[in-house]
Amino acid sequence: MPSLSLSNPVFAAYAVCAALLVLKMAAMSWLTVYRMLRINGGMRNPEDAQAGLANPRPRPGQLDPVDYVERIRRIHQNDQENLLPFLAIGWLFVLTGPDPAIAKALFYGYVVSRLLHFVAYLTARPHEWRATLWTVGSLIMIGMAGATLWAALRA
Amino acid sequence: MPSLSLSNPVFAAYAVCAALLVLKMAAMSWLTVYRMLRINGGMRNPEDAQAGLANPRPRPGQLDPVDYVERIRRIHQNDQENLLPFLAIGWLFVLTGPDPAIAKALFYGYVVSRLLHFVAYLTARPHEWRATLWTVGSLIMIGMAGATLWAALRA
Amino acid sequence: MPSLSLSNPVFAAYAVCAALLVLKMAAMSWLTVYRMLRINGGMRNPEDAQAGLANPRPRPGQLDPVDYVERIRRIHQNDQENLLPFLAIGWLFVLTGPDPAIAKALFYGYVVSRLLHFVAYLTARPHEWRATLWTVGSLIMIGMAGATLWAALRA
């Protein structure tokens, strides 16, 4: 019976990937903050355009969308659509007792595909790059969900 | 003590539902891709409107929002707001040791309510249909969260 | 070995916080509904602007964004960006066997920081308040992810 403890190498691999992905999402929040501060714009809340410690030089248009900031928001949104369901299914997949080498390859492959997806997205590479890398991650997640469904239905 | 293993029928029901809901969310991503390709529009990234393998016939307005695509994005967003917290609370609810028949009814009822919600949303049924189906799912989730809170506070 | 059962006080604290945060997110959904009904506007779906049981007095502009409603949507979005990864990493952090007092302080501190963040956001307090409270929560989450990564890599 696969256990949910860090002494189970497959579960430990899941935990490593989960921590990396959570840190990745946190980095998107901070990158949004950094970019808003750097251009002194791209904010979304009316109160953020008022003078204050964080906004010493208010100017018109601070609430207008700017791609420099919106791009990070889209990346962050894409993470929410993908990483969060992956985190929800990953540990259930561990409980199906997969082959350890395959499971670890899927976990780490997912993280690598998402980091490359981030680079392609951030640097506005041609659509095909981003789409291909996104597809790799999506298929890994679908595979894990399918394997979990199969195992849980037969349990 | 309820266990987090597929040999526990209540947990297995959770795992079945979690896998179905993750697959449902993945389907929303792919449906968005399908609809963007089909109308050759509704994209969000400037680089997606440039000529390339995925965009052989660039045309003006490819980045304009189109309801045909935006509707799927709204459905996907609604899933994120609802399915992800449900997945987070569902397995904790299993650990409270609920009546197996009730727990299974809630899990499968949730999945059914969300699939019907999807159909009502996709086909733009009158607001009341969507609202009613959404309410069923929301109340199930709130009930599970309340039961978990109660059990964890008394533990 | 820390267990994932409610008889483990640290895990029970996680479960209490998870239930509270899920209820908080559900409240955002219902608050959005309440505000849309109250001003009879701020909807997003074309079919919601048609006459019906839920919309007895249709009027032009019901689909126009209104800050009274959009503010709740932004708060809800912020919850998704923050609470969901926190829920994903929180129980893994429990498995690293943290000091119980510190772990409980982090869990409950996170919930308190997010409730205060909600109040500051809802009442449109100056940016600095919201930013400070958000930072507290973000750092707690980053700390848990870092501790989990460290423990899982050494396991």
Side-chain angles (χ1 to χ4, degrees):
Chain A
M1 185 67 65
S3 79
L4 294 175
S5 95
L6 296 177
S7 58
N8 171 358
V10 179
F11 184 71
Y14 167 77
V16 167
C17 292
L20 290 173
L21 295 173
V22 166
L23 290 171
K24 199 275 182 192
M25 290 189 74
M28 295 307 99
S29 293
W30 285 99
L31 191 48
T32 305
V33 170
Y34 168 76
R35 288 198 164 190
M36 285 192 298
L37 288 175
R38 187 162 169 222
I39 64 168
N40 193 27
M43 301 130 175
R44 281 194 172 165
N45 290 291
E47 62 268 30
D48 297 351
Q50 288 171 357
L53 200 64
N55 191 18
R57 300 180 307 280
R59 60 170 178 79
Q62 282 186 310
L63 299 177
D64 295 344
V66 185
D67 192 64
Y68 182 67
V69 176
E70 293 303 315
R71 182 172 295 274
I72 307 297
R73 295 196 206 271
R74 290 197 301 272
I75 295 176
H76 200 174
Q77 177 72 29
N78 193 281
D79 280 349
Q80 291 169 67
E81 291 169 11
N82 290 278
L83 307 192
L84 294 171
F86 176 83
L87 293 175
I89 203 68
W91 68 277
L92 298 175
F93 176 66
V94 172
L95 290 176
T96 67
D99 178 89
I102 292 176
K104 284 188 204 172
L106 292 175
F107 283 136
Y108 291 117
Y110 186 83
V111 171
V112 170
S113 79
R114 292 301 301 186
L115 292 180
L116 293 175
H117 178 270
F118 167 66
V119 173
Y121 211 151
L122 190 75
T123 57
R125 297 280 150 181
H127 175 83
E128 291 76 11
W129 292 40
R130 209 180 76 229
T132 303
L133 290 162
W134 176 82
T135 299
V136 171
S138 183
L139 292 180
I140 290 176
M141 186 175 77
I142 289 171
M144 287 186 177
T148 302
L149 181 61
W150 178 248
L153 283 174
R154 292 196 312 166
Chain B
M1 184 67 65
S3 80
L4 294 175
S5 94
L6 295 176
S7 59
N8 172 358
V10 179
F11 184 71
Y14 167 77
V16 167
C17 292
L20 289 174
L21 295 173
V22 166
L23 290 172
K24 199 277 183 191
M25 289 189 76
M28 294 307 99
S29 293
W30 285 99
L31 191 49
T32 305
V33 169
Y34 168 76
R35 288 197 163 190
M36 286 193 296
L37 287 175
R38 186 159 170 222
I39 65 167
N40 193 27
M43 300 130 175
R44 280 195 173 165
N45 292 290
E47 61 269 30
D48 297 352
Q50 287 171 358
L53 200 63
N55 191 19
R57 301 180 305 280
R59 60 172 178 78
Q62 283 188 308
L63 299 177
D64 295 345
V66 185
D67 192 64
Y68 182 65
V69 177
E70 293 304 315
R71 181 171 295 274
I72 307 297
R73 294 195 206 271
R74 289 197 301 271
I75 295 175
H76 200 172
Q77 177 72 29
N78 193 282
D79 280 349
Q80 291 169 68
E81 291 169 10
N82 290 278
L83 308 192
L84 294 171
F86 176 83
L87 293 174
I89 203 67
W91 68 277
L92 297 176
F93 176 65
V94 172
L95 290 175
T96 66
D99 179 88
I102 291 175
K104 284 188 204 173
L106 292 175
F107 283 136
Y108 290 118
Y110 186 82
V111 171
V112 170
S113 78
R114 292 300 301 184
L115 291 180
L116 293 176
H117 178 270
F118 168 66
V119 173
Y121 210 151
L122 190 75
T123 57
R125 297 280 151 183
H127 176 83
E128 290 76 11
W129 293 39
R130 209 179 76 229
T132 303
L133 290 161
W134 176 82
T135 299
V136 171
S138 183
L139 292 180
I140 291 176
M141 185 176 77
I142 289 170
M144 287 187 176
T148 302
L149 181 61
W150 178 248
L153 283 173
R154 293 196 312 164
Chain C
M1 184 69 64
S3 79
L4 294 175
S5 94
L6 296 176
S7 58
N8 172 356
V10 179
F11 184 72
Y14 168 77
V16 167
C17 292
L20 289 173
L21 295 173
V22 166
L23 290 171
K24 199 276 183 193
M25 290 189 75
M28 294 306 100
S29 293
W30 285 99
L31 191 49
T32 305
V33 169
Y34 168 75
R35 288 197 164 191
M36 286 192 296
L37 288 175
R38 186 161 170 222
I39 64 165
N40 193 26
M43 300 130 176
R44 281 194 172 164
N45 291 289
E47 62 268 30
D48 296 351
Q50 288 170 358
L53 201 63
N55 191 18
R57 301 179 307 279
R59 60 172 179 77
Q62 283 187 309
L63 299 176
D64 295 344
V66 185
D67 192 65
Y68 182 66
V69 176
E70 293 304 314
R71 180 172 296 275
I72 306 296
R73 295 196 205 272
R74 290 196 300 271
I75 295 176
H76 200 174
Q77 177 71 30
N78 194 281
D79 281 348
Q80 291 169 67
E81 291 169 11
N82 290 277
L83 307 193
L84 294 172
F86 176 84
L87 293 175
I89 202 68
W91 67 277
L92 298 176
F93 176 65
V94 172
L95 290 175
T96 67
D99 179 89
I102 292 176
K104 285 188 203 174
L106 291 175
F107 283 136
Y108 291 118
Y110 186 82
V111 171
V112 170
S113 79
R114 292 300 302 184
L115 291 180
L116 294 176
H117 178 269
F118 167 67
V119 173
Y121 210 150
L122 189 75
T123 56
R125 297 281 151 182
H127 176 83
E128 290 75 10
W129 293 39
R130 210 180 74 229
T132 303
L133 290 162
W134 176 82
T135 298
V136 171
S138 183
L139 293 180
I140 291 175
M141 185 176 77
I142 289 171
M144 288 188 176
T148 302
L149 181 61
W150 178 248
L153 282 174
R154 293 196 311 164

